[in-house]
Amino acid sequence: MGLYHDKGMDSGCCSWKKNDKGDQSCFCGRYTESFINQAITVTYNAGPGRTTGTLLDFKKKPGILVLLVPEDGDDPAQILHICCKDVTSISQAQTPPA
């Protein structure tokens, strides 16, 4: 289940260019790239509301997070495309003690 909103090849969920010029409708910003390859929890306004996984990529231009969600019980592993416009927070996931 992806939260990807396809608006065509040249546009996306959030326009990074518009965001740089003060468009506050998008959450993701320049610091989002620092979470790449880390376990994060993304809270958003659609679907289940919160997902934890590894951030594989942040596509700045269209405003899309690419998140790998591991297998959980009967749920298979997934790759989600989450629109930054839906995101309300991103935080490092708490890793369980070994």
Side-chain angles (χ1 to χ4, degrees):
M1 169 184 116
L3 296 173
Y4 178 65
H5 300 283
D6 185 9
K7 293 183 180 178
M9 286 298 266
D10 295 330
S11 65
C13 295
C14 298
S15 170
W16 182 260
K17 192 173 185 179
K18 282 184 188 175
N19 203 27
D20 278 351
K21 292 182 181 180
D23 178 7
Q24 297 302 310
S25 66
C26 298
F27 176 82
C28 303
R30 75 179 88 172
Y31 299 110
T32 304
E33 292 175 327
S34 66
F35 289 111
I36 290 178
N37 295 321
Q38 294 185 35
I40 62 170
T41 298
V42 180
T43 305
Y44 45 88
N45 296 322
R50 178 177 285 197
T51 301
T52 299
T54 301
L55 182 62
L56 297 179
D57 194 11
F58 170 45
K59 298 180 184 293
K60 265 196 286 192
K61 192 172 181 181
I64 296 172
L65 298 172
V66 181
L67 192 68
L68 172 64
V69 179
E71 181 176 337
D72 183 23
D74 291 335
D75 294 332
Q78 311 175 55
I79 293 180
L80 299 180
H81 294 83
I82 302 173
C83 177
C84 285
K85 200 168 204 168
D86 295 331
V87 173
T88 57
S89 70
I90 299 171
S91 59
Q92 285 186 308
Q94 299 296 324
T95 54

